Coordinates of all heavy atoms in Angstrom, one line a residue:
M1 N 26.7 -29.2 5.2 CA 26.6 -27.9 5.8 C 25.3 -27.2 5.3 O 24.9 -27.3 4.2 CB 27.8 -27.0 5.4 CG 27.7 -25.7 6.1 SD 29.2 -24.6 5.7 CE 30.4 -25.5 6.7
V2 N 24.7 -26.5 6.2 CA 23.4 -25.7 5.9 C 23.7 -24.3 6.3 O 24.2 -24.0 7.4 CB 22.2 -26.3 6.7 CG1 21.0 -25.5 6.5 CG2 22.0 -27.7 6.2
L3 N 23.2 -23.4 5.4 CA 23.3 -22.0 5.6 C 21.9 -21.4 5.5 O 21.2 -21.8 4.5 CB 24.2 -21.3 4.6 CG 24.2 -19.8 4.5 CD1 24.9 -19.2 5.7 CD2 24.9 -19.4 3.2
I4 N 21.5 -20.6 6.4 CA 20.1 -20.0 6.3 C 20.4 -18.5 6.2 O 21.2 -17.9 7.0 CB 19.3 -20.3 7.6 CG1 19.0 -21.8 7.6 CG2 18.0 -19.5 7.5 CD1 18.2 -22.3 8.7
Y5 N 19.9 -17.9 5.2 CA 20.2 -16.5 5.0 C 18.9 -15.7 4.5 O 18.0 -16.3 3.9 CB 21.3 -16.3 4.0 CG 21.1 -16.8 2.6 CD1 20.7 -15.9 1.6 CD2 21.2 -18.2 2.3 CE1 20.5 -16.4 0.3 CE2 20.9 -18.6 1.0 CZ 20.6 -17.7 0.0 OH 20.3 -18.2 -1.3
R6 N 18.9 -14.5 4.8 CA 17.8 -13.6 4.4 C 18.3 -12.6 3.3 O 19.3 -11.9 3.6 CB 17.3 -12.9 5.6 CG 16.2 -11.9 5.2 CD 15.3 -11.6 6.4 NE 14.4 -10.4 6.2 CZ 13.5 -10.3 5.3 NH1 13.2 -11.3 4.4 NH2 12.7 -9.2 5.2
E7 N 17.6 -12.6 2.2 CA 17.9 -11.6 1.2 C 17.0 -10.4 1.5 O 16.3 -10.4 2.5 CB 17.7 -12.1 -0.2 CG 18.7 -13.1 -0.6 CD 18.5 -13.6 -2.1 OE1 17.4 -13.5 -2.6 OE2 19.5 -14.0 -2.6
K8 N 16.9 -9.5 0.6 CA 16.1 -8.3 0.8 C 14.6 -8.6 1.1 O 14.0 -8.1 2.0 CB 16.2 -7.4 -0.4 CG 15.5 -6.1 -0.3 CD 15.8 -5.2 -1.4 CE 15.2 -3.8 -1.2 NZ 15.5 -2.9 -2.3
H9 N 14.0 -9.6 0.4 CA 12.6 -9.9 0.6 C 12.3 -11.4 0.9 O 11.1 -11.7 1.0 CB 11.8 -9.5 -0.7 CG 11.9 -8.1 -1.0 ND1 11.2 -7.1 -0.3 CD2 12.6 -7.4 -2.0 CE1 11.5 -5.9 -0.8 NE2 12.3 -6.1 -1.8
S10 N 13.3 -12.2 0.9 CA 13.1 -13.7 1.1 C 14.1 -14.3 2.0 O 15.2 -13.8 2.2 CB 13.1 -14.4 -0.2 OG 12.1 -13.9 -1.1
T11 N 13.8 -15.4 2.6 CA 14.7 -16.2 3.5 C 14.8 -17.5 2.9 O 13.9 -18.2 2.4 CB 14.2 -16.3 4.9 OG1 14.0 -15.0 5.5 CG2 15.1 -17.1 5.8
Y12 N 16.1 -18.0 2.8 CA 16.4 -19.3 2.2 C 17.2 -20.2 3.1 O 18.0 -19.7 3.9 CB 17.2 -19.1 0.9 CG 16.4 -18.4 -0.2 CD1 16.5 -17.0 -0.3 CD2 15.6 -19.1 -1.1 CE1 15.8 -16.3 -1.3 CE2 14.9 -18.4 -2.0 CZ 15.0 -17.0 -2.1 OH 14.3 -16.4 -3.1
A13 N 17.0 -21.5 3.0 CA 18.0 -22.5 3.6 C 18.7 -23.1 2.4 O 18.1 -23.5 1.4 CB 17.2 -23.5 4.4
C14 N 20.0 -23.2 2.6 CA 20.8 -23.8 1.5 C 21.7 -24.9 2.1 O 22.4 -24.7 3.1 CB 21.7 -22.7 0.9 SG 22.9 -23.3 -0.3
R15 N 21.6 -26.1 1.5 CA 22.4 -27.2 1.9 C 23.4 -27.4 0.8 O 23.2 -27.5 -0.4 CB 21.5 -28.5 1.9 CG 22.2 -29.7 2.3 CD 21.2 -30.9 2.4 NE 22.0 -32.1 2.5 CZ 21.5 -33.3 2.1 NH1 20.3 -33.4 1.6 NH2 22.2 -34.4 2.2
F16 N 24.7 -27.5 1.2 CA 25.8 -27.7 0.3 C 26.9 -28.4 1.0 O 26.9 -28.6 2.2 CB 26.3 -26.3 -0.2 CG 26.8 -25.4 0.8 CD1 28.2 -25.3 1.1 CD2 25.9 -24.6 1.5 CE1 28.6 -24.4 2.0 CE2 26.4 -23.7 2.5 CZ 27.7 -23.6 2.8
G17 N 27.9 -28.9 0.2 CA 29.0 -29.6 0.7 C 28.8 -31.1 0.5 O 29.7 -31.8 -0.1
D18 N 27.7 -31.7 1.0 CA 27.5 -33.1 0.8 C 26.6 -33.4 -0.4 O 26.4 -34.6 -0.7 CB 26.9 -33.7 2.1 CG 25.5 -33.2 2.4 OD1 25.2 -32.1 2.0 OD2 24.8 -33.9 3.1
V19 N 26.1 -32.4 -1.0 CA 25.2 -32.6 -2.2 C 25.7 -31.7 -3.3 O 26.2 -30.6 -3.1 CB 23.7 -32.3 -1.9 CG1 23.2 -33.3 -0.9 CG2 23.5 -30.9 -1.4
W20 N 25.5 -32.1 -4.6 CA 25.7 -31.3 -5.7 C 24.6 -31.5 -6.7 O 24.3 -32.6 -7.0 CB 27.1 -31.6 -6.3 CG 27.4 -30.5 -7.3 CD1 27.3 -30.7 -8.7 CD2 27.8 -29.2 -7.1 NE1 27.6 -29.5 -9.3 CE2 28.0 -28.6 -8.4 CE3 28.1 -28.4 -6.0 CZ2 28.4 -27.2 -8.5 CZ3 28.5 -27.1 -6.1 CH2 28.6 -26.6 -7.4
P21 N 24.1 -30.4 -7.2 CA 24.3 -29.0 -6.9 C 23.7 -28.7 -5.5 O 22.9 -29.5 -5.0 CB 23.6 -28.3 -8.0 CG 22.5 -29.2 -8.4 CD 23.0 -30.6 -8.3
P22 N 24.1 -27.6 -5.0 CA 23.5 -27.2 -3.7 C 22.0 -27.1 -3.7 O 21.4 -26.9 -4.8 CB 24.0 -25.8 -3.5 CG 25.3 -25.7 -4.2 CD 25.0 -26.6 -5.5
Q23 N 21.4 -27.4 -2.6 CA 19.9 -27.5 -2.5 C 19.4 -26.3 -1.8 O 19.8 -26.0 -0.7 CB 19.5 -28.8 -1.8 CG 18.0 -29.0 -1.6 CD 17.7 -30.3 -0.8 OE1 18.7 -30.9 -0.3 NE2 16.5 -30.6 -0.7
F24 N 18.5 -25.5 -2.5 CA 17.9 -24.3 -1.9 C 16.5 -24.5 -1.6 O 15.7 -25.1 -2.4 CB 18.0 -23.1 -2.9 CG 19.5 -22.6 -3.1 CD1 20.3 -23.2 -4.0 CD2 20.0 -21.6 -2.3 CE1 21.6 -22.8 -4.2 CE2 21.3 -21.2 -2.5 CZ 22.0 -21.7 -3.5
V25 N 16.0 -24.0 -0.5 CA 14.6 -24.1 -0.1 C 14.2 -22.7 0.4 O 14.9 -22.1 1.3 CB 14.3 -25.1 1.0 CG1 12.9 -25.1 1.4 CG2 14.8 -26.5 0.5
R26 N 13.1 -22.1 -0.2 CA 12.7 -20.8 0.3 C 11.8 -21.1 1.6 O 10.9 -22.0 1.6 CB 11.8 -20.1 -0.7 CG 11.4 -18.8 -0.2 CD 10.7 -18.0 -1.3 NE 10.3 -16.7 -0.8 CZ 9.4 -15.9 -1.4 NH1 8.8 -16.3 -2.5 NH2 9.1 -14.8 -0.9
I27 N 12.2 -20.4 2.7 CA 11.4 -20.6 3.9 C 10.9 -19.2 4.3 O 11.0 -18.2 3.5 CB 12.3 -21.2 5.0 CG1 13.5 -20.3 5.4 CG2 12.7 -22.6 4.6 CD1 14.3 -20.8 6.6
E28 N 10.3 -19.0 5.5 CA 9.8 -17.8 5.9 C 10.8 -17.1 6.8 O 11.8 -17.7 7.3 CB 8.5 -18.0 6.6 CG 7.4 -18.6 5.8 CD 6.9 -17.6 4.7 OE1 7.1 -16.4 4.8 OE2 6.3 -18.1 3.8
D29 N 10.6 -15.8 7.1 CA 11.5 -15.0 8.0 C 11.5 -15.6 9.4 O 12.6 -15.5 10.1 CB 11.1 -13.6 8.0 CG 11.3 -12.9 6.7 OD1 12.0 -13.4 5.8 OD2 10.7 -11.8 6.5
D30 N 10.4 -16.1 9.9 CA 10.4 -16.7 11.2 C 10.6 -18.2 11.1 O 9.8 -18.9 10.6 CB 9.0 -16.4 11.9 CG 8.8 -14.9 12.2 OD1 9.8 -14.2 12.5 OD2 7.6 -14.5 12.3
W31 N 11.7 -18.6 11.7 CA 12.1 -20.0 11.6 C 12.9 -20.4 12.9 O 13.4 -19.5 13.6 CB 12.9 -20.3 10.4 CG 14.2 -19.5 10.3 CD1 14.4 -18.2 9.7 CD2 15.5 -19.8 10.9 NE1 15.6 -17.8 9.9 CE2 16.4 -18.8 10.6 CE3 16.0 -20.9 11.6 CZ2 17.7 -18.8 11.0 CZ3 17.3 -20.9 11.9 CH2 18.1 -19.9 11.6
L32 N 12.9 -21.7 13.1 CA 13.8 -22.2 14.2 C 14.1 -23.6 13.9 O 13.5 -24.3 13.1 CB 13.1 -22.0 15.6 CG 11.9 -22.8 15.9 CD1 12.2 -24.3 16.3 CD2 11.2 -22.2 17.1
I33 N 15.2 -24.1 14.5 CA 15.6 -25.5 14.4 C 15.6 -26.1 15.8 O 16.1 -25.5 16.7 CB 17.1 -25.5 13.8 CG1 17.1 -25.0 12.4 CG2 17.6 -27.0 13.8 CD1 18.5 -24.8 11.8
Q34 N 14.9 -27.2 15.9 CA 14.8 -28.0 17.1 C 15.1 -29.4 16.8 O 14.4 -30.0 16.0 CB 13.5 -27.8 17.8 CG 13.4 -28.6 19.1 CD 12.0 -28.6 19.7 OE1 11.1 -29.2 19.0 NE2 11.8 -28.1 20.8
A35 N 16.2 -29.9 17.4 CA 16.6 -31.3 17.1 C 16.8 -31.5 15.6 O 17.7 -30.8 15.0 CB 15.7 -32.3 17.7
D36 N 16.0 -32.3 14.9 CA 16.2 -32.6 13.5 C 15.1 -32.0 12.7 O 14.8 -32.4 11.6 CB 16.2 -34.1 13.2 CG 14.9 -34.8 13.6 OD1 14.1 -34.2 14.2 OD2 14.8 -36.0 13.2
T37 N 14.5 -30.9 13.2 CA 13.4 -30.2 12.4 C 13.6 -28.7 12.2 O 14.0 -28.0 13.2 CB 12.0 -30.4 13.2 OG1 11.8 -31.8 13.4 CG2 10.9 -29.8 12.5
L38 N 13.5 -28.3 11.0 CA 13.5 -26.9 10.7 C 12.0 -26.5 10.5 O 11.3 -27.0 9.7 CB 14.2 -26.6 9.4 CG 14.1 -25.3 8.7 CD1 14.6 -24.2 9.7 CD2 14.9 -25.2 7.4
A39 N 11.6 -25.6 11.4 CA 10.2 -25.1 11.4 C 10.1 -23.7 11.0 O 11.0 -22.9 11.4 CB 9.5 -25.3 12.8
Y40 N 9.1 -23.3 10.2 CA 9.0 -21.9 9.7 C 7.5 -21.6 9.5 O 6.7 -22.5 9.2 CB 9.8 -21.6 8.5 CG 9.5 -22.5 7.3 CD1 8.7 -22.1 6.3 CD2 10.2 -23.7 7.2 CE1 8.4 -22.9 5.2 CE2 9.9 -24.5 6.1 CZ 9.1 -24.1 5.1 OH 8.8 -24.9 4.0
V41 N 7.2 -20.3 9.7 CA 5.8 -19.9 9.6 C 5.8 -18.5 9.0 O 6.6 -17.7 9.2 CB 5.1 -19.9 11.1 CG1 5.8 -18.9 12.0 CG2 3.6 -19.7 11.0
G42 N 4.7 -18.4 8.1 CA 4.5 -17.1 7.5 C 3.7 -16.2 8.3 O 3.1 -16.6 9.3
Y43 N 3.7 -14.9 8.0 CA 3.0 -13.9 8.7 C 1.5 -14.3 8.8 O 0.8 -14.5 7.8 CB 3.1 -12.5 8.0 CG 2.4 -11.4 8.6 CD1 2.8 -10.9 9.9 CD2 1.3 -10.8 8.0 CE1 2.2 -9.9 10.5 CE2 0.6 -9.8 8.6 CZ 1.1 -9.3 9.9 OH 0.4 -8.3 10.5
E44 N 1.0 -14.3 10.0 CA -0.4 -14.7 10.3 C -0.8 -16.0 9.8 O -2.0 -16.2 9.5 CB -1.4 -13.5 9.8 CG -1.2 -12.2 10.6 CD -2.2 -11.2 10.2 OE1 -3.1 -11.5 9.4 OE2 -2.1 -10.1 10.8
A45 N 0.1 -16.9 9.6 CA -0.3 -18.3 9.1 C -0.8 -19.1 10.2 O -0.4 -18.9 11.4 CB 1.0 -18.9 8.5
A46 N -1.7 -20.1 9.9 CA -2.2 -20.9 10.9 C -1.5 -22.3 11.0 O -1.6 -23.0 11.9 CB -3.7 -21.2 10.5
L47 N -0.6 -22.6 10.0 CA 0.1 -23.8 10.0 C 1.6 -23.5 10.0 O 2.1 -22.6 9.4 CB -0.1 -24.6 8.7 CG -1.6 -25.2 8.6 CD1 -1.7 -25.8 7.2 CD2 -1.9 -26.2 9.7
V48 N 2.4 -24.3 10.7 CA 3.8 -24.3 10.8 C 4.3 -25.3 9.8 O 4.0 -26.5 9.9 CB 4.4 -24.6 12.2 CG1 5.9 -24.6 12.2 CG2 3.9 -23.5 13.2
Q49 N 5.1 -24.8 8.8 CA 5.7 -25.7 7.8 C 7.0 -26.3 8.5 O 7.6 -25.7 9.3 CB 6.1 -24.9 6.6 CG 5.0 -24.2 5.9 CD 3.9 -25.1 5.5 OE1 4.1 -26.2 4.9 NE2 2.6 -24.8 5.7
R50 N 7.3 -27.6 8.1 CA 8.4 -28.3 8.7 C 9.2 -29.0 7.6 O 8.7 -29.5 6.7 CB 8.0 -29.3 9.7 CG 7.2 -28.6 10.9 CD 6.7 -29.7 11.9 NE 5.9 -30.7 11.2 CZ 5.8 -32.0 11.6 NH1 6.5 -32.3 12.7 NH2 5.1 -32.8 11.0
L51 N 10.5 -29.0 7.8 CA 11.5 -29.8 7.0 C 12.3 -30.6 7.9 O 12.7 -30.1 9.0 CB 12.3 -28.9 6.1 CG 11.6 -28.0 5.1 CD1 12.7 -27.1 4.5 CD2 11.0 -28.9 4.1
R52 N 12.7 -31.8 7.6 CA 13.7 -32.6 8.3 C 15.0 -31.9 8.1 O 15.4 -31.5 7.0 CB 13.7 -34.1 7.9 CG 14.7 -34.9 8.7 CD 14.6 -36.3 8.5 NE 13.3 -36.8 8.9 CZ 12.5 -37.6 8.2 NH1 12.9 -38.0 7.1 NH2 11.3 -37.9 8.7
F53 N 15.8 -31.8 9.2 CA 17.0 -31.1 9.1 C 18.1 -32.1 9.3 O 18.1 -32.9 10.2 CB 17.1 -30.0 10.2 CG 18.3 -29.1 10.2 CD1 18.3 -28.1 9.3 CD2 19.4 -29.4 11.0 CE1 19.4 -27.3 9.3 CE2 20.5 -28.6 11.0 CZ 20.5 -27.5 10.1
P54 N 19.2 -32.2 8.5 CA 19.6 -31.2 7.5 C 19.3 -31.6 6.1 O 19.7 -30.9 5.2 CB 21.1 -31.1 7.7 CG 21.5 -32.6 8.0 CD 20.3 -33.1 8.8
D55 N 18.5 -32.6 5.8 CA 18.3 -33.1 4.4 C 17.1 -32.4 3.7 O 16.9 -32.6 2.5 CB 18.2 -34.6 4.3 CG 17.1 -35.2 5.1 OD1 16.2 -34.4 5.6 OD2 17.0 -36.4 5.1
F56 N 16.4 -31.6 4.4 CA 15.2 -30.8 3.9 C 14.1 -31.7 3.4 O 13.3 -31.4 2.5 CB 15.7 -29.9 2.8 CG 16.6 -28.8 3.1 CD1 17.3 -28.2 2.2 CD2 16.8 -28.5 4.5 CE1 18.2 -27.1 2.5 CE2 17.7 -27.5 4.8 CZ 18.4 -26.8 3.9
T57 N 14.0 -33.0 3.9 CA 12.8 -33.8 3.6 C 11.5 -33.1 4.1 O 11.5 -32.8 5.3 CB 13.0 -35.2 4.2 OG1 14.2 -35.8 3.7 CG2 11.8 -36.1 3.9
P58 N 10.5 -32.9 3.3 CA 9.3 -32.2 3.8 C 8.6 -33.1 4.8 O 8.5 -34.3 4.6 CB 8.5 -32.1 2.5 CG 9.4 -32.2 1.4 CD 10.5 -33.1 1.9
L59 N 8.1 -32.5 5.8 CA 7.3 -33.1 6.8 C 5.9 -32.4 6.8 O 5.8 -31.3 6.3 CB 7.9 -32.9 8.2 CG 9.3 -33.5 8.5 CD1 9.8 -33.0 9.8 CD2 9.3 -35.0 8.4
D60 N 4.9 -33.1 7.2 CA 3.6 -32.5 7.2 C 3.5 -31.2 8.0 O 4.1 -31.2 9.2 CB 2.5 -33.5 7.7 CG 2.3 -34.7 6.8 OD1 2.6 -34.5 5.6 OD2 1.9 -35.7 7.3
P61 N 2.8 -30.2 7.6 CA 2.7 -29.0 8.4 C 1.8 -29.3 9.6 O 1.0 -30.3 9.6 CB 2.0 -28.0 7.5 CG 1.5 -28.8 6.3 CD 2.2 -30.1 6.3
I62 N 2.0 -28.6 10.7 CA 1.2 -28.8 11.9 C 0.5 -27.4 12.3 O 1.1 -26.4 12.0 CB 2.0 -29.4 13.0 CG1 3.2 -28.5 13.4 CG2 2.4 -30.8 12.7 CD1 3.9 -28.9 14.6
P63 N -0.7 -27.5 12.9 CA -1.3 -26.2 13.4 C -0.4 -25.5 14.4 O 0.4 -26.1 15.1 CB -2.6 -26.7 14.1 CG -2.8 -28.1 13.5 CD -1.5 -28.7 13.2
L64 N -0.5 -24.2 14.4 CA 0.3 -23.4 15.2 C 0.2 -23.7 16.7 O 1.2 -23.8 17.4 CB 0.0 -21.9 15.0 CG 0.9 -20.9 15.7 CD1 2.3 -21.1 15.3 CD2 0.4 -19.5 15.3
A65 N -1.0 -24.1 17.1 CA -1.2 -24.4 18.5 C -0.5 -25.7 18.9 O 0.1 -25.8 20.0 CB -2.7 -24.6 18.8
E66 N -0.5 -26.7 17.9 CA 0.3 -27.9 18.2 C 1.8 -27.7 18.2 O 2.5 -28.2 19.0 CB -0.1 -28.9 17.1 CG 0.6 -30.3 17.3 CD 0.2 -31.3 16.2 OE1 -1.0 -31.1 15.6 OE2 1.0 -32.2 15.9
A67 N 2.2 -26.8 17.3 CA 3.6 -26.4 17.2 C 4.1 -25.8 18.6 O 5.2 -26.0 19.1 CB 3.9 -25.5 16.1
K68 N 3.2 -24.9 19.1 CA 3.6 -24.3 20.4 C 3.8 -25.3 21.5 O 4.7 -25.2 22.3 CB 2.5 -23.3 20.8 CG 2.5 -22.0 20.0 CD 1.4 -21.1 20.4 CE 1.5 -19.8 19.5 NZ 0.5 -18.8 19.9
Q69 N 2.9 -26.3 21.5 CA 3.0 -27.3 22.6 C 4.3 -28.2 22.4 O 4.8 -28.7 23.3 CB 1.8 -28.2 22.5 CG 0.5 -27.6 23.0 CD -0.7 -28.5 22.9 OE1 -0.7 -29.5 22.2 NE2 -1.8 -28.1 23.6
A70 N 4.7 -28.4 21.1 CA 5.9 -29.2 20.8 C 7.2 -28.4 20.9 O 8.2 -28.9 20.6 CB 5.7 -29.8 19.5
G71 N 7.1 -27.1 21.2 CA 8.3 -26.2 21.2 C 8.8 -25.9 19.8 O 10.0 -25.6 19.7
L72 N 7.9 -25.9 18.8 CA 8.3 -25.6 17.4 C 7.6 -24.4 16.9 O 7.3 -24.3 15.7 CB 7.9 -26.8 16.5 CG 8.8 -28.0 16.6 CD1 8.1 -29.2 15.8 CD2 10.1 -27.7 16.0
D73 N 7.3 -23.4 17.8 CA 6.6 -22.2 17.3 C 7.7 -21.1 17.0 O 8.3 -20.5 17.9 CB 5.7 -21.7 18.4 CG 5.1 -20.4 18.0 OD1 5.1 -20.0 16.8 OD2 4.5 -19.7 18.9
P74 N 7.9 -20.9 15.7 CA 8.9 -19.9 15.3 C 8.4 -18.5 15.2 O 9.1 -17.6 14.8 CB 9.3 -20.4 13.9 CG 8.1 -21.1 13.4 CD 7.4 -21.7 14.6
S75 N 7.1 -18.2 15.6 CA 6.5 -16.9 15.5 C 7.4 -15.9 16.2 O 7.7 -16.0 17.4 CB 5.1 -16.9 16.1 OG 4.3 -17.9 15.4
G76 N 7.7 -14.8 15.5 CA 8.4 -13.7 16.1 C 9.9 -13.9 16.2 O 10.6 -13.0 16.7
T77 N 10.4 -15.0 15.7 CA 11.9 -15.2 15.8 C 12.7 -14.2 15.0 O 13.8 -13.8 15.3 CB 12.3 -16.6 15.5 OG1 11.8 -17.0 14.2 CG2 11.7 -17.6 16.5
A78 N 12.2 -13.8 13.8 CA 12.9 -12.8 13.0 C 13.0 -11.5 13.7 O 14.1 -10.9 13.7 CB 12.2 -12.7 11.6
R79 N 12.0 -11.0 14.3 CA 12.0 -9.8 15.0 C 12.9 -9.9 16.2 O 13.7 -9.0 16.5 CB 10.6 -9.4 15.5 CG 10.6 -8.1 16.2 CD 9.2 -7.6 16.6 NE 8.4 -8.6 17.2 CZ 7.2 -9.0 16.6 NH1 6.7 -8.4 15.6 NH2 6.5 -10.0 17.2
A80 N 12.9 -11.0 16.9 CA 13.7 -11.2 18.1 C 15.2 -11.2 17.7 O 16.0 -10.6 18.4 CB 13.4 -12.5 18.8
A81 N 15.5 -11.8 16.6 CA 16.9 -11.9 16.1 C 17.4 -10.5 15.7 O 18.5 -10.1 16.0 CB 17.0 -12.8 15.0
F82 N 16.5 -9.7 15.1 CA 16.8 -8.4 14.6 C 17.1 -7.5 15.9 O 18.0 -6.8 16.0 CB 15.7 -7.8 13.8 CG 15.9 -6.4 13.4 CD1 16.9 -6.0 12.4 CD2 15.2 -5.4 14.0 CE1 17.1 -4.7 12.1 CE2 15.4 -4.0 13.7 CZ 16.4 -3.7 12.7
E83 N 16.2 -7.6 16.9 CA 16.4 -6.8 18.1 C 17.6 -7.2 18.8 O 18.3 -6.3 19.4 CB 15.1 -6.9 19.0 CG 13.9 -6.3 18.4 CD 12.6 -6.6 19.1 OE1 12.6 -7.4 20.0 OE2 11.6 -6.0 18.7
Y84 N 18.0 -8.5 18.8 CA 19.2 -8.9 19.5 C 20.4 -8.3 18.8 O 21.4 -7.9 19.4 CB 19.3 -10.5 19.5 CG 20.5 -11.0 20.1 CD1 20.7 -11.0 21.4 CD2 21.6 -11.4 19.3 CE1 21.9 -11.5 22.0 CE2 22.8 -11.9 19.8 CZ 22.9 -12.0 21.2 OH 24.1 -12.4 21.7
A85 N 20.4 -8.3 17.5 CA 21.5 -7.7 16.7 C 21.7 -6.2 16.9 O 22.8 -5.8 16.8 CB 21.3 -8.0 15.2
L86 N 20.6 -5.5 17.3 CA 20.8 -4.1 17.6 C 21.5 -3.9 18.9 O 22.2 -3.1 19.2 CB 19.4 -3.4 17.6 CG 18.7 -3.4 16.2 CD1 17.3 -2.7 16.4 CD2 19.5 -2.6 15.2

């Protein structure tokens, strides 16, 4: 099982249930999951960081333009989720 949560100043992905101890990875506020990839990007970052989902195996970062073409652009997802919740 994977839980993604935001604390006051940080966002984390936590994998637990099938591993012990639980595995925590700090990610950015803007993230998305597409198929087997967790993609996240920092504010004004030029590269999209990626992890294989759900085991969190690091994948090479890709330029934002390439991520957009692949449907892996998480830019603005935190704001969109916040606005949806309102």
Side-chain angles (χ1 to χ4, degrees):
M1 179 177 289
V2 173
L3 170 71
I4 297 178
Y5 65 99
R6 177 157 166 63
E7 290 185 336
K8 188 172 184 179
H9 298 288
S10 300
T11 301
Y12 295 91
C14 174
R15 178 179 171 205
F16 59 98
D18 65 333
V19 294
W20 189 258
Q23 182 181 6
F24 290 88
V25 178
R26 184 174 180 197
I27 62 173
E28 299 291 341
D29 295 342
D30 289 332
W31 59 270
L32 66 79
I33 297 170
Q34 182 188 60
D36 65 347
T37 303
L38 168 60
Y40 56 96
V41 64
Y43 179 69
E44 294 188 359
L47 294 175
V48 174
Q49 303 298 319
R50 301 179 303 149
L51 300 172
R52 182 169 297 132
F53 186 81
D55 63 7
F56 297 162
T57 301
L59 301 171
D60 291 335
I62 58 175
L64 189 55
E66 185 179 331
K68 286 180 181 181
Q69 290 178 344
L72 283 171
D73 178 14
S75 300
T77 56
R79 180 176 45 238
F82 176 74
E83 290 169 356
Y84 177 77
L86 293 178

